[in-house]
Amino acid sequence: MRIYDCRVNHLKNPLGFQMNRTVFSWKVKEAAGKEQDSARICVYADKDEKILLKDTGFDSEASSLGVSVDVELKPRTRYYWNVTVRSDAGEENVSETQWFETGKREEEWVGKWISCNSEEKRHPFFEKAVNPEKKVSSARLYISGLGLYEAFYNGKRIGEEYLTPYSNDYYQWQQYQTFDVTEMVQEEGTLSVLLGNGWYKARFGFAAIEDTGFYGSEWKLIAELRMAYEDGTEEVIGTDESWLVRRSNIIFSNLYDGEKMDDTLEVLPTENVVLIDAPKGQLQERLSLPVTIHESFEPSEIIRTPKDELVLDMGQEFAGIFRLHIREPKGTKIHIQTGEILQDGCFYNENLRSAKSEYVYISDGVEKDIVPHFTYYGYRYVKIEGVSDFKKEDFTGLALYSEIEQTGFLKTGHELVNKLYSNVLWGLKSNFLDVPTDCPQRDERMGWTGDAQVFSATASFMTETYAFYAKYLYDMWQEQKALGGKVPDVVPSCGVETTSTVWGDAACIIPWNLYCFYGDKSILEDQYDSMKAWVDYVRQVDGDEHLWREKFHYGDWLALDNPVGGVDQVLGSTDEGFIAYVYYAASASILAKAAHLLGKTEDEKFYEKISEEQFAFVKKEYYSATGRCCVNTQTALLLTLKYGLSSDVELTKKMLRKLFTDNHDKLLTGFVGTPLMCNVLSDWGFSELAYHLLLNEEAPGWLHEILLGATTVWERWNSIDDEGHVSSTGMNSMNHYSYGSIVEWMFRHCVGLQQKEECPGFKEVTIRPELNWELRSAEAVYDSAAGCYEAAWKLTKPDYVEISVKVPFGCKAELSLPYASSELFANNENPIFADVKDGICYLQAGEYQVGYQTTHNFKKVYSIHTPVNLLFSNDKAVKKLNGIVKFNDVPAQYRSYSLKEIFDRFDSCLTEDMIIRAEKALAEEGEN
Ligand code: BGC
């Protein structure tokens, strides 16, 4: 038995994070037993585990998903802990020793806020000599600098993080980081801190103009170097008047436009620092995960474009910086620009709007590597000017993102679907840079709440998201407090005060998703006030006259069904008021469930009632007496099925099917409908249609983007036309993760792994694979909060499937074998059938396999019963029908019906002979 992935507050060995509680979690593998009998957590004051501070004793209730243990925490102290697990087979093992270390907590800062002349554009280095008097046993640097900072000791970078102290609403709070500098300060040297502009003091967001920051205009630094000597004494060096300022050669930086450095500048005299007021927001321990460099890329191709530009293709779009090796004569100006796509073979960046996204460097003639400090780029292509003899190895792309571990791995028998998975993962990596952003390249890169909300379940399958979103949700609540509960459209808001349905509902949906994925109620405790404030805000706006729908709402943003159409259209045609009430009711229902879990009975009743009332209002207002949804769009009908809004489910299904059929089985959905679409279709028996939408290679569709060269997921379904031209420059990013939310369906339906809501954290799951012949196979590994699941299926023949499943220690699965005959279950040799009820195999921890003949043949056959629109969208079917019936033979008004229906029901163009011949031709061998 091995214990792994031990965390406190969902972090591994955290240094200097906010610790308002101590929740311990772990996972177990390689055990002989099936589940945990009991567990014991011990917290120590020392590494040798001699000074015991807390011992829970063996507790049969201790859940591996999170045990809250009260530990009285002192500032700047490292605590050690371990967990011992006993299994039902009598095994016992103890984890490796883990630790967590507090920051300064309530302790006063010795360091003072310092600044320098902020009019001077040359970015400052604040410096201080450090002369340790004795042998240092341990040293920490506590530091924050605005807008951004990078710290060095004797010129060597301290830590590996970029863009510290990260992005917050700096009016509310800001973070400081803690670095272990014990090794570095063993010798005397200089502590220096370089400041940049970043989110705080350069243009960013909608409210900032030109190059003025929204939050502030002055450089500000606070730091405290604490050196503990071996003899037990301590020296503290805080920022104060004794520090000096030296000017760097960085003359410009911001997040959108890039950075400029001139190494030919003269050295300026050092300046004295000035003491300055603390910034408005409260200085607190960090919540942000470190943003570090992950993958590095060499250019996959060096291109000389028709315009004679030198352009590098990195082969993959990502967010980050780069390293460029330079050997140019003094005074040479090097100009770098980044873009996402080429246009007519040439460099292109107009869709970045006003973001210059460039790097300018003036060489001092010294050979060196340059790496930008205070900016980042969302890019695949790089245009380089001013380099005389460029070699491929001179440029390395460096992907920057928050330290989130990948937990989900998915592979199918379909290359393009695998590419889609990779594209979504890159969309995630590019937009998980401290804040869940909409896009990483143009003049936005903001924490749009709607985008974050629709992608949060997908992200939580693909990566470990708890701590990342916890920081975002904390930010959200800080913003709400200043806005009377309203959730601004972007968080951190940077001055944005508008809100909208679906977007603001992130306040309820993301915490709920985190609870479902990780099974730790702490997130609901932490966010309860925020969730409630949001629902109360909507309630108050709505009043007694249903005024919520009178407000502007993005609704089914970027859907394709708005009759006005056009490449710049942003609104869909699903009534935004309808969507607003469905989400109001849904958020109130989530809030009621959270209240229930937290034992807030009054609230539970109150918000359950609100939810019921709002759902009742939706049903009354937007449905006919017979249950027909009056908003006849794909998205409205998907919402109808998801939330059970119609009294006639069959009618709704029929309406939805017809809408798809009428549209050649193609989607028209935007930000609301798309993330739900395939999940709802599968839930309601339209798995084949869900697959069809996934696998469709024509526009609009996921695979269509890939066939046009996408390496991430586009913002719009029609971002690029078939000639490879960007459809418009108003709002068009090639790296928006929202539609990447299809990955949630891949896990939940294609592989079939779903957690049961009543057993959050994946302690108990259902596995219901949905098979598809075009896909052939699907396999997933998901290292859930409860342990690592594996699930795979493979159709070796159109009617023969092999299924394998691995259930982790402490977990249970209910496996449904699709299209299995009842005789199969009589095979009592196979442990998979040890416990079967009503065709469901109840599985405990272990590995299982089975292969069987399915009662359904998965080869898709087009027939005279296939709707004409669909039949004629299949090339092979068209070929088979050649000489029998043509698309144009069928009047346009009949094309959503099948050939057989048209013949049976309408006086038409089709003869009996045609039907007989068509039936025969379509039944001929050959896949279609
Ligand atoms: C962003 C979106 C966002 C939207 C608001 C856009 O500019 O990029 O993804 O959700 O505005 O509707």
Side-chain angles (χ1 to χ4, degrees):
M1 177 166 72
R2 277 220 303 136
I3 303 169
Y4 73 108
D5 213 357
C6 299
R7 292 170 190 256
V8 58
N9 300 345
H10 303 268
L11 298 162
K12 282 186 185 164
N13 298 337
L15 171 61
F17 278 71
Q18 257 181 55
M19 304 284 287
N20 297 334
R21 55 160 55 85
T22 32
V23 173
F24 300 91
S25 57
W26 61 92
K27 296 179 195 169
V28 172
K29 61 182 175 189
E30 295 158 25
K34 299 285 178 210
E35 56 186 14
Q36 184 179 290
D37 166 75
S38 56
R40 168 190 184 188
I41 293 158
C42 292
V43 183
Y44 303 90
D46 63 326
K47 200 177 185 171
D48 301 329
E49 303 181 350
K50 295 219 165 71
I51 311 167
L52 182 65
L53 298 175
K54 220 59 231 204
D55 180 353
T56 62
F58 280 99
D59 180 358
S60 57
E61 300 286 296
S63 163
S64 65
L65 298 174
V67 177
S68 180
V69 179
D70 277 337
V71 186
E72 208 179 302
L73 298 178
K74 292 202 260 223
R76 296 183 290 102
T77 307
R78 185 169 287 209
Y79 296 87
Y80 299 84
W81 68 281
N82 62 34
V83 55
T84 311
V85 176
R86 280 183 186 158
S87 83
D88 56 351
E91 300 151 284
E92 183 175 311
N93 206 352
V94 57
S95 70
E96 278 174 26
T97 304
Q98 311 291 314
W99 57 265
F100 58 94
E101 185 177 313
T102 54
K104 289 171 63 60
R105 296 179 71 80
E106 285 82 39
E107 181 187 71
E108 284 282 310
W109 280 75
V110 172
K112 300 171 185 155
W113 283 99
I114 57 173
S115 184
C116 59
N117 174 7
S118 298
E119 299 291 299
E120 170 58 56
K121 294 280 182 240
R122 287 176 69 172
H123 293 22
F125 266 115
F126 289 78
E127 294 191 330
K128 175 77 184 171
V130 178
N131 302 303
E133 289 154 17
K134 302 170 224 168
K135 181 100 180 97
V136 178
S137 60
S138 149
R140 298 286 181 271
L141 176 65
Y142 303 91
I143 180 170
S144 187
L146 292 171
L148 301 173
Y149 76 87
E150 279 180 3
F152 304 84
Y153 192 72
N154 284 341
K156 194 167 173 275
R157 220 167 198 290
I158 297 177
E160 291 170 354
E161 302 186 39
Y162 284 80
L163 304 173
T164 47
Y166 304 118
S167 167
N168 300 105
D169 181 338
Y170 303 97
Y171 285 159
Q172 311 298 332
W173 76 296
Q174 77 187 74
Q175 311 180 57
Y176 70 88
Q177 285 72 33
T178 305
F179 296 99
D180 182 346
V181 289
T182 313
E183 292 302 312
M184 285 181 144
V185 298
Q186 293 302 334
E187 57 183 45
E188 63 175 37
T190 305
L191 174 62
S192 53
V193 185
L194 177 64
L195 295 190
N197 295 316
W199 294 279
Y200 178 79
K201 70 183 280 296
R203 85 175 178 112
F204 183 80
F206 296 148
I209 21 147
E210 293 298 312
D211 203 36
T212 313
F214 175 73
Y215 292 106
S217 57
E218 286 162 314
W219 316 102
K220 289 181 189 237
L221 172 69
I222 191 165
E224 208 169 282
L225 173 64
R226 286 183 172 257
M227 295 181 288
Y229 293 124
E230 273 187 349
D231 64 3
T233 58
E234 190 193 39
E235 187 182 343
V236 187
I237 299 176
T239 36
D240 61 17
E241 301 90 325
S242 69
W243 286 53
L244 291 172
V245 167
R246 179 169 61 85
R247 293 289 168 173
S248 73
N249 290 339
I250 300 175
I251 49 176
F252 175 86
S253 75
N254 78 33
L255 293 164
Y256 294 157
D257 300 311
E259 203 166 292
K260 293 182 185 167
M261 182 153 96
D262 183 351
D263 271 349
T264 64
L265 291 176
E266 57 173 342
V267 176
L268 293 177
T270 50
E271 301 156 47
N272 290 323
V273 303
V274 288
L275 295 183
I276 192 166
D277 288 343
K280 235 177 169 179
Q282 213 199 338
L283 184 61
Q284 294 176 35
E285 283 108 336
R286 69 184 302 162
L287 280 180
S288 284
L289 296 174
V291 170
T292 50
I293 292 174
H294 297 260
E295 293 84 347
S296 53
F297 300 89
E298 264 207 4
S300 61
E301 199 186 342
I302 300 177
I303 303 167
R304 266 287 158 199
T305 72
K307 288 187 187 158
D308 202 28
E309 304 152 311
L310 172 65
V311 172
L312 315 180
D313 178 0
M314 305 307 294
Q316 172 64 55
E317 172 150 357
F318 62 97
I321 45 178
F322 58 81
R323 184 171 54 242
L324 179 66
H325 190 71
I326 302 220
R327 41 181 130 55
E328 296 298 328
K330 186 169 178 183
T332 310
K333 180 179 168 187
I334 292 167
H335 185 205
I336 292 174
Q337 286 168 283
T338 63
E340 299 183 277
I341 37 169
L342 299 179
Q343 292 287 266
D344 301 316
C346 295
F347 180 78
Y348 179 84
N349 63 1
E350 273 168 49
N351 65 321
L352 309 192
R353 303 195 302 215
S354 74
K356 290 204 187 83
S357 199
E358 63 180 358
Y359 188 88
V360 178
Y361 176 70
I362 317 277
S363 170
D364 56 356
V366 178
E367 185 169 346
K368 66 180 75 157
D369 282 342
I370 49 168
V371 178
H373 293 263
F374 298 121
T375 192
Y376 76 94
Y377 310 85
Y379 71 104
R380 169 172 172 181
Y381 295 97
V382 185
K383 177 173 148 188
I384 303 187
E385 291 167 292
V387 173
S388 47
D389 178 24
F390 181 79
K391 296 191 189 57
K392 209 175 181 179
E393 55 276 18
D394 289 342
F395 189 95
T396 311
L398 305 169
L400 272 186
Y401 51 90
S402 295
E403 283 186 354
I404 34 154
E405 284 158 61
Q406 190 171 347
T407 49
F409 303 82
L410 195 143
K411 206 172 145 215
T412 71
H414 196 295
E415 275 317 302
L416 293 180
V417 174
N418 295 343
K419 178 69 179 151
L420 173 61
Y421 191 82
S422 155
N423 287 6
V424 177
L425 188 58
W426 274 108
L428 184 157
K429 291 175 175 179
S430 316
N431 287 295
F432 270 46
L433 203 150
D434 192 43
V435 170
T437 56
D438 56 335
C439 57
Q441 72 300 72
R442 68 169 178 236
D443 50 0
E444 253 178 285
R445 314 185 196 186
M446 299 196 286
W448 282 95
T449 49
D451 308 43
Q453 184 265 101
V454 301
F455 192 66
S456 59
T458 285
S460 304
F461 268 118
M462 299 181 106
T463 56
E464 162 74 43
T465 57
Y466 190 102
F468 178 79
Y469 282 131
K471 181 258 173 187
Y472 181 63
L473 294 171
Y474 180 83
D475 280 333
M476 191 178 284
W477 176 222
Q478 305 315 306
E479 301 281 4
Q480 285 178 269
K481 281 196 262 188
L483 293 172
K486 187 204 287 189
V487 176
D489 281 329
V490 298
V491 172
S493 73
C494 217
V496 171
E497 292 196 3
T498 50
T499 193
S500 163
T501 183
V502 179
W503 271 245
D505 293 293
C508 291
I509 297 173
I510 301 179
W512 186 251
N513 278 346
L514 290 185
Y515 169 68
C516 292
F517 272 86
Y518 298 96
D520 178 4
K521 267 194 280 189
S522 321
I523 195 68
L524 300 178
E525 281 164 19
D526 288 345
Q527 291 307 122
Y528 188 78
D529 290 344
S530 150
M531 298 164 82
K532 186 167 160 173
W534 167 249
V535 175
D536 286 346
Y537 169 78
V538 176
R539 206 157 59 83
Q540 168 242 316
V541 173
D542 199 43
D544 298 326
E545 294 162 67
H546 302 295
L547 295 179
W548 181 226
R549 62 177 158 187
E550 304 301 322
K551 302 283 166 199
F552 172 79
H553 295 289
Y554 300 111
D556 199 16
W557 187 248
L558 305 188
L560 299 172
D561 51 8
N562 191 310
V564 176
V567 288
D568 282 317
Q569 180 58 257
V570 288
L571 297 178
S573 78
T574 306
D575 184 303
E576 286 83 17
F578 165 76
I579 295 174
Y581 286 99
V582 175
Y583 274 79
Y584 174 17
S587 279
S589 157
I590 288 175
L591 178 57
K593 287 193 273 186
H596 173 76
L597 287 162
L598 301 178
K600 298 173 190 286
T601 321
E602 293 282 289
D603 278 9
E604 181 189 349
K605 276 194 224 138
F606 183 76
Y607 291 104
E608 207 167 69
K609 189 161 161 269
I610 300 270
S611 173
E612 279 163 13
E613 281 168 7
Q614 294 311 320
F615 275 131
F617 170 67
V618 171
K619 289 177 192 168
K620 187 164 155 226
E621 183 84 359
Y622 296 98
Y623 291 81
S624 76
T626 53
R628 182 174 293 274
C629 181
C630 305
V631 188
N632 196 20
T633 64
Q634 292 177 355
T635 293
L637 295 169
L638 291 166
L639 285 169
T640 303
L641 289 176
K642 180 172 166 65
Y643 291 103
L645 302 174
S646 163
S647 52
D648 192 337
V649 172
E650 284 314 311
L651 170 67
T652 310
K653 284 172 70 176
K654 217 166 140 191
M655 288 168 72
L656 181 62
R657 191 66 192 85
K658 182 166 184 325
L659 278 190
F660 275 103
T661 308
D662 288 352
N663 196 44
H664 300 232
D665 275 1
K666 289 192 180 159
L667 59 84
L668 291 169
T669 50
F671 271 39
V672 175
T674 307
L676 310 177
M677 182 174 64
C678 288
N679 285 314
V680 173
L681 290 174
S682 279
D683 282 340
W684 291 93
F686 296 113
S687 173
E688 210 178 308
L689 177 56
Y691 268 111
H692 179 83
L693 289 158
L694 169 75
L695 297 173
N696 161 44
E697 295 183 5
E698 293 173 4
W702 291 275
L703 302 192
H704 183 69
E705 298 183 6
I706 292 172
L707 292 172
L708 288 179
T711 61
T712 42
V713 179
W714 300 342
E715 177 172 21
R716 292 173 181 269
W717 290 117
N718 55 3
S719 283
I720 291 185
D721 66 23
D722 286 349
E723 278 72 53
H725 291 136
V726 62
S727 60
S728 75
T729 52
M731 201 189 73
N732 230 330
S733 123
M734 306 304 144
N735 199 353
H736 251 60
Y737 55 43
S738 300
Y739 292 161
S741 48
I742 183 69
V743 164
E744 181 189 351
W745 173 83
M746 291 188 196
F747 278 99
R748 285 197 201 283
H749 290 279
C750 163
V751 177
L753 181 67
Q754 309 224 23
Q755 85 271 43
K756 294 168 89 179
E757 195 177 282
E758 64 279 17
C759 306
F762 284 79
K763 274 277 175 203
E764 290 187 27
V765 303
T766 56
I767 302 177
R768 261 186 232 129
E770 291 174 25
L771 314 183
N772 179 278
W773 179 242
E774 275 180 85
L775 210 67
R776 289 296 200 282
S777 65
E779 50 183 295
V781 174
Y782 177 50
D783 199 1
S784 79
C788 191
Y789 285 91
E790 291 181 21
W793 59 262
K794 186 174 186 177
L795 281 167
T796 52
K797 285 193 270 176
D799 57 356
Y800 192 89
V801 68
E802 287 169 1
I803 289 184
S804 64
V805 161
K806 189 171 164 187
V807 182
F809 177 83
C811 297
K812 288 185 181 137
E814 293 172 17
L815 171 69
S816 302
L817 298 174
Y819 296 96
S821 66
S822 47
E823 297 92 75
L824 181 70
F825 297 97
N827 170 357
N828 40 26
E829 301 284 282
N830 189 334
I832 207 167
F833 300 120
D835 182 8
V836 179
K837 261 181 248 108
D838 300 329
I840 294 172
C841 308
Y842 289 81
L843 307 177
Q844 286 187 309
E847 290 179 41
Y848 305 88
Q849 279 101 27
V850 66
Y852 62 93
Q853 185 90 32
T854 55
T855 55
H856 175 78
N857 187 313
F858 284 90
K859 197 179 251 185
K860 202 194 299 164
V861 185
Y862 286 84
S863 71
I864 53 169
H865 303 288
T866 310
V868 166
N869 273 330
L870 201 58
L871 186 63
F872 283 89
S873 66
N874 181 282
D875 292 345
K876 287 174 190 148
V878 173
K879 237 186 237 155
K880 288 181 183 176
L881 292 172
N882 190 15
I884 304 172
V885 54
K886 288 198 294 292
F887 186 59
N888 284 340
D889 294 342
V890 183
Q893 66 272 27
Y894 295 159
R895 287 179 192 157
S896 58
Y897 299 95
S898 69
L899 292 175
K900 180 79 168 78
E901 272 174 305
I902 297 168
F903 176 71
D904 287 348
R905 293 176 54 184
F906 310 118
D907 278 343
S908 81
C909 45
L910 302 178
T911 62
E912 190 168 2
D913 177 55
M914 278 169 154
I915 295 294
I916 293 168
R917 286 170 60 209
E919 183 168 29
K920 218 170 130 215
L922 288 169
E924 270 167 24
E925 251 321 281
E927 201 178 315
N928 51 27

